mmCIF file of all heavy atoms in Angstrom:
data_model
loop_
_atom_site.group_PDB
_atom_site.id
_atom_site.type_symbol
_atom_site.label_atom_id
_atom_site.label_comp_id
_atom_site.label_asym_id
_atom_site.label_seq_id
_atom_site.Cartn_x
_atom_site.Cartn_y
_atom_site.Cartn_z
ATOM 1 N N THR A 1149 -16.951 82.400 -8.944
ATOM 2 C CA THR A 1149 -16.610 83.788 -9.256
ATOM 3 C C THR A 1149 -15.476 83.794 -10.272
ATOM 4 O O THR A 1149 -14.739 82.809 -10.400
ATOM 5 C CB THR A 1149 -16.156 84.558 -8.001
ATOM 6 O OG1 THR A 1149 -15.000 83.910 -7.435
ATOM 7 C CG2 THR A 1149 -17.266 84.600 -6.957
ATOM 8 N N ILE A 1150 -15.345 84.896 -10.968
ATOM 9 C CA ILE A 1150 -14.233 85.083 -11.895
ATOM 10 C C ILE A 1150 -13.616 86.444 -11.620
ATOM 11 O O ILE A 1150 -14.259 87.312 -11.013
ATOM 12 C CB ILE A 1150 -14.693 84.981 -13.367
ATOM 13 C CG1 ILE A 1150 -15.771 86.031 -13.680
ATOM 14 C CG2 ILE A 1150 -15.213 83.589 -13.682
ATOM 15 C CD1 ILE A 1150 -16.176 86.074 -15.142
ATOM 16 N N PRO A 1151 -12.374 86.666 -12.035
ATOM 17 C CA PRO A 1151 -11.738 87.965 -11.793
ATOM 18 C C PRO A 1151 -12.536 89.110 -12.423
ATOM 19 O O PRO A 1151 -13.090 88.969 -13.516
ATOM 20 C CB PRO A 1151 -10.363 87.817 -12.463
ATOM 21 C CG PRO A 1151 -10.119 86.342 -12.509
ATOM 22 C CD PRO A 1151 -11.457 85.710 -12.696
ATOM 23 N N ALA A 1152 -12.610 90.213 -11.684
ATOM 24 C CA ALA A 1152 -13.343 91.383 -12.192
ATOM 25 C C ALA A 1152 -12.631 91.941 -13.421
ATOM 26 O O ALA A 1152 -11.428 92.168 -13.410
ATOM 27 C CB ALA A 1152 -13.430 92.444 -11.097
ATOM 28 N N ASP A 1153 -13.399 92.132 -14.474
ATOM 29 C CA ASP A 1153 -12.899 92.680 -15.719
ATOM 30 C C ASP A 1153 -13.845 93.811 -16.132
ATOM 31 O O ASP A 1153 -15.034 93.556 -16.353
ATOM 32 C CB ASP A 1153 -12.863 91.590 -16.790
ATOM 33 C CG ASP A 1153 -12.475 92.098 -18.173
ATOM 34 O OD1 ASP A 1153 -12.114 93.292 -18.283
ATOM 35 O OD2 ASP A 1153 -12.543 91.312 -19.136
ATOM 36 N N ASN A 1156 -16.546 93.329 -18.520
ATOM 37 C CA ASN A 1156 -17.650 92.457 -18.147
ATOM 38 C C ASN A 1156 -18.274 92.851 -16.811
ATOM 39 O O ASN A 1156 -18.722 91.999 -16.035
ATOM 40 C CB ASN A 1156 -17.186 91.000 -18.112
ATOM 41 C CG ASN A 1156 -16.927 90.454 -19.503
ATOM 42 O OD1 ASN A 1156 -17.770 90.553 -20.387
ATOM 43 N ND2 ASN A 1156 -15.740 89.895 -19.710
ATOM 44 N N ILE A 1157 -18.301 94.152 -16.544
ATOM 45 C CA ILE A 1157 -19.022 94.694 -15.386
ATOM 46 C C ILE A 1157 -20.141 95.575 -15.924
ATOM 47 O O ILE A 1157 -19.895 96.521 -16.679
ATOM 48 C CB ILE A 1157 -18.120 95.522 -14.453
ATOM 49 C CG1 ILE A 1157 -16.935 94.694 -13.936
ATOM 50 C CG2 ILE A 1157 -18.935 96.085 -13.291
ATOM 51 C CD1 ILE A 1157 -17.313 93.603 -12.979
ATOM 52 N N TRP A 1158 -21.354 95.252 -15.539
ATOM 53 C CA TRP A 1158 -22.549 95.999 -15.963
ATOM 54 C C TRP A 1158 -22.956 96.924 -14.837
ATOM 55 O O TRP A 1158 -23.266 96.467 -13.741
ATOM 56 C CB TRP A 1158 -23.665 95.006 -16.294
ATOM 57 C CG TRP A 1158 -24.856 95.582 -17.010
ATOM 58 C CD1 TRP A 1158 -24.860 96.624 -17.872
ATOM 59 C CD2 TRP A 1158 -26.205 95.102 -16.950
ATOM 60 N NE1 TRP A 1158 -26.130 96.837 -18.364
ATOM 61 C CE2 TRP A 1158 -26.971 95.908 -17.813
ATOM 62 C CE3 TRP A 1158 -26.825 94.068 -16.258
ATOM 63 C CZ2 TRP A 1158 -28.347 95.721 -17.990
ATOM 64 C CZ3 TRP A 1158 -28.181 93.872 -16.441
ATOM 65 C CH2 TRP A 1158 -28.933 94.697 -17.296
ATOM 66 N N ASP A 1159 -22.929 98.212 -15.091
ATOM 67 C CA ASP A 1159 -23.274 99.208 -14.079
ATOM 68 C C ASP A 1159 -24.693 99.714 -14.301
ATOM 69 O O ASP A 1159 -25.033 100.175 -15.404
ATOM 70 C CB ASP A 1159 -22.297 100.393 -14.132
ATOM 71 C CG ASP A 1159 -20.886 100.017 -13.707
ATOM 72 O OD1 ASP A 1159 -20.737 99.055 -12.915
ATOM 73 O OD2 ASP A 1159 -19.931 100.678 -14.150
ATOM 74 N N VAL A 1168 -25.322 99.983 -8.999
ATOM 75 C CA VAL A 1168 -25.240 98.541 -8.794
ATOM 76 C C VAL A 1168 -24.246 97.989 -9.805
ATOM 77 O O VAL A 1168 -24.397 98.206 -11.013
ATOM 78 C CB VAL A 1168 -26.612 97.871 -8.988
ATOM 79 C CG1 VAL A 1168 -26.499 96.363 -8.799
ATOM 80 C CG2 VAL A 1168 -27.646 98.457 -8.034
ATOM 81 N N ARG A 1169 -23.236 97.276 -9.303
ATOM 82 C CA ARG A 1169 -22.229 96.680 -10.189
ATOM 83 C C ARG A 1169 -22.494 95.188 -10.311
ATOM 84 O O ARG A 1169 -22.604 94.483 -9.308
ATOM 85 C CB ARG A 1169 -20.815 96.936 -9.654
ATOM 86 C CG ARG A 1169 -20.462 98.413 -9.542
ATOM 87 C CD ARG A 1169 -19.066 98.609 -8.954
ATOM 88 N NE ARG A 1169 -18.022 98.157 -9.867
ATOM 89 C CZ ARG A 1169 -17.043 97.320 -9.525
ATOM 90 N NH1 ARG A 1169 -17.003 96.790 -8.306
ATOM 91 N NH2 ARG A 1169 -16.125 96.975 -10.404
ATOM 92 N N ILE A 1170 -22.602 94.743 -11.541
ATOM 93 C CA ILE A 1170 -22.955 93.348 -11.829
ATOM 94 C C ILE A 1170 -21.837 92.699 -12.630
ATOM 95 O O ILE A 1170 -21.444 93.209 -13.689
ATOM 96 C CB ILE A 1170 -24.282 93.275 -12.605
ATOM 97 C CG1 ILE A 1170 -25.420 93.823 -11.728
ATOM 98 C CG2 ILE A 1170 -24.572 91.855 -13.067
ATOM 99 C CD1 ILE A 1170 -26.696 94.092 -12.495
ATOM 100 N N GLN A 1171 -21.319 91.596 -12.103
ATOM 101 C CA GLN A 1171 -20.292 90.828 -12.812
ATOM 102 C C GLN A 1171 -20.963 89.985 -13.884
ATOM 103 O O GLN A 1171 -21.738 89.068 -13.585
ATOM 104 C CB GLN A 1171 -19.556 89.917 -11.836
ATOM 105 C CG GLN A 1171 -18.588 88.937 -12.487
ATOM 106 C CD GLN A 1171 -17.322 89.598 -12.975
ATOM 107 O OE1 GLN A 1171 -16.510 90.044 -12.171
ATOM 108 N NE2 GLN A 1171 -17.160 89.677 -14.283
ATOM 109 N N LEU A 1172 -20.719 90.289 -15.148
ATOM 110 C CA LEU A 1172 -21.264 89.502 -16.245
ATOM 111 C C LEU A 1172 -20.446 88.233 -16.432
ATOM 112 O O LEU A 1172 -19.244 88.214 -16.160
ATOM 113 C CB LEU A 1172 -21.282 90.324 -17.540
ATOM 114 C CG LEU A 1172 -22.119 91.607 -17.514
ATOM 115 C CD1 LEU A 1172 -21.963 92.373 -18.828
ATOM 116 C CD2 LEU A 1172 -23.592 91.292 -17.262
ATOM 117 N N GLY A 1237 -28.732 88.096 -5.290
ATOM 118 C CA GLY A 1237 -27.849 88.881 -6.138
ATOM 119 C C GLY A 1237 -27.648 88.311 -7.526
ATOM 120 O O GLY A 1237 -27.071 88.987 -8.396
ATOM 121 N N VAL A 1239 -28.262 87.535 -11.300
ATOM 122 C CA VAL A 1239 -28.964 88.261 -12.357
ATOM 123 C C VAL A 1239 -29.234 87.262 -13.487
ATOM 124 O O VAL A 1239 -28.317 86.624 -14.008
ATOM 125 C CB VAL A 1239 -28.152 89.455 -12.874
ATOM 126 C CG1 VAL A 1239 -28.988 90.291 -13.845
ATOM 127 C CG2 VAL A 1239 -27.694 90.324 -11.706
ATOM 128 N N GLY A 1272 -25.107 86.721 -14.716
ATOM 129 C CA GLY A 1272 -24.285 87.598 -13.890
ATOM 130 C C GLY A 1272 -24.712 87.563 -12.436
ATOM 131 O O GLY A 1272 -25.650 86.860 -12.044
ATOM 132 N N ARG A 1273 -24.003 88.364 -11.629
ATOM 133 C CA ARG A 1273 -24.352 88.473 -10.212
ATOM 134 C C ARG A 1273 -23.881 89.826 -9.674
ATOM 135 O O ARG A 1273 -22.811 90.325 -10.065
ATOM 136 C CB ARG A 1273 -23.726 87.346 -9.405
ATOM 137 C CG ARG A 1273 -24.264 87.284 -7.971
ATOM 138 C CD ARG A 1273 -23.830 86.050 -7.237
ATOM 139 N NE ARG A 1273 -24.425 86.016 -5.912
ATOM 140 C CZ ARG A 1273 -24.127 85.139 -4.974
ATOM 141 N NH1 ARG A 1273 -23.227 84.197 -5.228
ATOM 142 N NH2 ARG A 1273 -24.705 85.173 -3.791
ATOM 143 N N VAL A 1274 -24.686 90.396 -8.788
ATOM 144 C CA VAL A 1274 -24.349 91.680 -8.174
ATOM 145 C C VAL A 1274 -23.112 91.499 -7.305
ATOM 146 O O VAL A 1274 -23.049 90.600 -6.462
ATOM 147 C CB VAL A 1274 -25.524 92.201 -7.315
ATOM 148 C CG1 VAL A 1274 -25.110 93.462 -6.561
ATOM 149 C CG2 VAL A 1274 -26.745 92.478 -8.194
ATOM 150 N N ILE A 1275 -22.120 92.362 -7.499
ATOM 151 C CA ILE A 1275 -20.913 92.321 -6.676
ATOM 152 C C ILE A 1275 -20.785 93.575 -5.810
ATOM 153 O O ILE A 1275 -19.944 93.624 -4.913
ATOM 154 C CB ILE A 1275 -19.647 92.138 -7.543
ATOM 155 C CG1 ILE A 1275 -19.523 93.252 -8.594
ATOM 156 C CG2 ILE A 1275 -19.631 90.772 -8.192
ATOM 157 C CD1 ILE A 1275 -18.208 93.211 -9.380
ATOM 158 N N GLU A 1276 -21.639 94.567 -6.056
ATOM 159 C CA GLU A 1276 -21.604 95.790 -5.241
ATOM 160 C C GLU A 1276 -22.916 96.546 -5.453
ATOM 161 O O GLU A 1276 -23.446 96.593 -6.567
ATOM 162 C CB GLU A 1276 -20.423 96.666 -5.673
ATOM 163 C CG GLU A 1276 -20.162 97.858 -4.771
ATOM 164 C CD GLU A 1276 -18.935 98.643 -5.210
ATOM 165 O OE1 GLU A 1276 -17.930 98.000 -5.612
ATOM 166 O OE2 GLU A 1276 -18.993 99.881 -5.177
ATOM 167 N N GLY A 1277 -23.427 97.124 -4.364
ATOM 168 C CA GLY A 1277 -24.624 97.962 -4.466
ATOM 169 C C GLY A 1277 -25.931 97.215 -4.290
ATOM 170 O O GLY A 1277 -26.983 97.706 -4.712
ATOM 171 N N MET A 1278 -25.898 96.049 -3.623
ATOM 172 C CA MET A 1278 -27.134 95.287 -3.444
ATOM 173 C C MET A 1278 -28.157 96.057 -2.609
ATOM 174 O O MET A 1278 -29.369 95.842 -2.747
ATOM 175 C CB MET A 1278 -26.821 93.938 -2.802
ATOM 176 C CG MET A 1278 -27.966 92.943 -2.829
ATOM 177 S SD MET A 1278 -28.424 92.435 -4.516
ATOM 178 C CE MET A 1278 -29.977 91.578 -4.182
ATOM 179 N N GLU A 1302 -18.654 99.021 -17.635
ATOM 180 C CA GLU A 1302 -17.675 99.761 -16.840
ATOM 181 C C GLU A 1302 -16.456 100.187 -17.646
ATOM 182 O O GLU A 1302 -15.884 101.261 -17.408
ATOM 183 C CB GLU A 1302 -17.255 98.928 -15.629
ATOM 184 C CG GLU A 1302 -16.627 99.746 -14.520
ATOM 185 C CD GLU A 1302 -16.710 99.054 -13.169
ATOM 186 O OE1 GLU A 1302 -17.787 99.090 -12.544
ATOM 187 O OE2 GLU A 1302 -15.686 98.474 -12.753
#
Side-chain angles (χ1 to χ4, degrees):
T1149 59
I1150 59 175
D1153 175 6
N1156 289 308
I1157 302 291
W1158 192 31
D1159 293 333
V1168 179
R1169 299 178 68 231
I1170 296 167
Q1171 172 74 69
L1172 300 176
V1239 187
R1273 190 171 183 188
V1274 174
I1275 57 174
E1276 189 177 320
M1278 192 65 191
E1302 199 158 281

